[in-house]
Amino acid sequence: MTASRQFIRSLPFTLGVMLIISAFPSSLYAASIQHTIAKGESLAGIALEFYGNRSNFREIALFNRIENPALVRPTMKIRLPFSELVTMREGESISMLAKKEWGNPKLFPILAAANGIRNPQSVPVGTRLRIPVMVPYTLGGGESLSTVARDFYGNPKAYTSIALASGISHPDRVPVGTALRIPLILIRSSAGGGAKAVGVRPGKRTFSGLKEAQGAYRRGEFEKARDLIERRLSVLRGKDRAKALRLLASCYYAFGEREKVIRTLKESYALDPGFVPDPAMVNPDMITLYVKAKGLPNR
């Protein structure tokens, strides 16, 4: 995923100006296509086909408020968001474009940052701009705008972009459960191309609490390990998410929650189908659950 890492920070505006946000519509519009999930489809497979990147199943899940991507069902209707490409016209400004897209001209720094525009006051006619998708996200326990920015953008200092998009005037005092909007550039794959979904300067997503969760699990602190993983699971992708899911399944196993174990392992296999549990590290009963989860249809 690519775009401007500095995001709002690189713009010639002060944070104070950027955070003077008036109320904006609760539903920020985004270009999207409706898709009906077919038998055998998964969000990861849909993301690969639509964006060219399996890992973008997370954005699909968040955009559609799907709590568990592994539990989608055939006939379910979802929206696949993407960033429209627009061209600046005579007499237009990016503040006018922000008002048109989101109902609030003061959100123009998001457009400027996402498209690498250093002087938003002077955008030439004919300039082509991508419109960021506002992906909904709920702030979890132990999270802050900085940690969310780090997980989505690879840069904790880009939290100002999230504050701006979410209408938050005091980013250092955001309570758990606050509804956020994460501006991301999501690009559709062309019929014959390999375009990938890109975000507003994200870097590699990491799960800084995984080692801590592993340590807690080894000490027999299964509840702590479970909580650490569940708290951060929504921002993980690919094999990092699969690894965390396997540890989470082990926590569920310790609690005797076998259905949750199978469901969680099934999701991990959707992300990392080649994983083989080590019999020297996993007990025989847990191995049978791995086998059962892998054999379940991906629907």
Side-chain angles (χ1 to χ4, degrees), residues 75-247:
T75 74
M76 182 186 291
K77 297 184 185 299
I78 60 174
R79 305 297 303 188
L80 303 176
F82 63 92
S83 296
E84 287 185 290
L85 185 60
V86 301
T87 302
M88 290 291 291
R89 300 177 181 177
E90 185 72 36
E92 278 189 329
S93 65
I94 62 170
S95 61
M96 293 170 61
L97 187 57
K99 181 178 181 180
K100 177 183 176 182
E101 294 293 331
W102 301 315
N104 187 350
K106 293 182 180 180
L107 296 181
F108 74 89
I110 293 174
L111 283 172
N115 290 278
I117 296 172
R118 293 187 174 277
N119 185 2
Q121 306 301 327
S122 179
V123 182
V125 172
T127 299
R128 306 186 80 188
L129 305 174
R130 290 279 183 188
I131 307 299
V133 174
M134 298 294 190
V135 176
Y137 185 83
T138 301
L139 191 69
E143 290 186 314
S144 66
L145 292 194
S146 293
T147 63
V148 173
R150 179 197 63 206
D151 291 328
F152 276 89
Y153 304 142
N155 180 6
K157 294 183 179 180
Y159 71 88
T160 51
S161 65
I162 301 171
L164 179 61
S166 305
I168 295 171
S169 57
H170 298 287
D172 57 331
R173 299 195 300 274
V174 184
V176 171
T178 297
L180 305 176
R181 293 187 176 96
I182 314 296
L184 293 171
I185 298 293
L186 298 172
I187 300 178
R188 296 176 58 187
S189 291
S190 59
K196 295 183 178 180
V198 297
V200 185
R201 254 321 199 194
K204 181 180 179 180
R205 294 189 184 188
T206 60
F207 178 28
S208 58
L210 183 56
K211 288 186 177 180
E212 184 180 355
Q214 289 171 330
Y217 180 83
R218 286 193 292 268
R219 293 190 301 271
E221 299 172 358
F222 304 128
E223 185 173 351
K224 179 179 180 180
R226 178 200 63 193
D227 292 346
L228 282 167
I229 299 169
E230 288 182 339
R231 191 166 61 205
R232 302 296 301 283
L233 193 60
S234 64
V235 300
L236 294 177
R237 296 182 175 185
K239 291 189 176 182
D240 284 342
R241 181 180 174 86
K243 186 176 182 179
L245 284 167
R246 290 192 291 269
L247 181 56

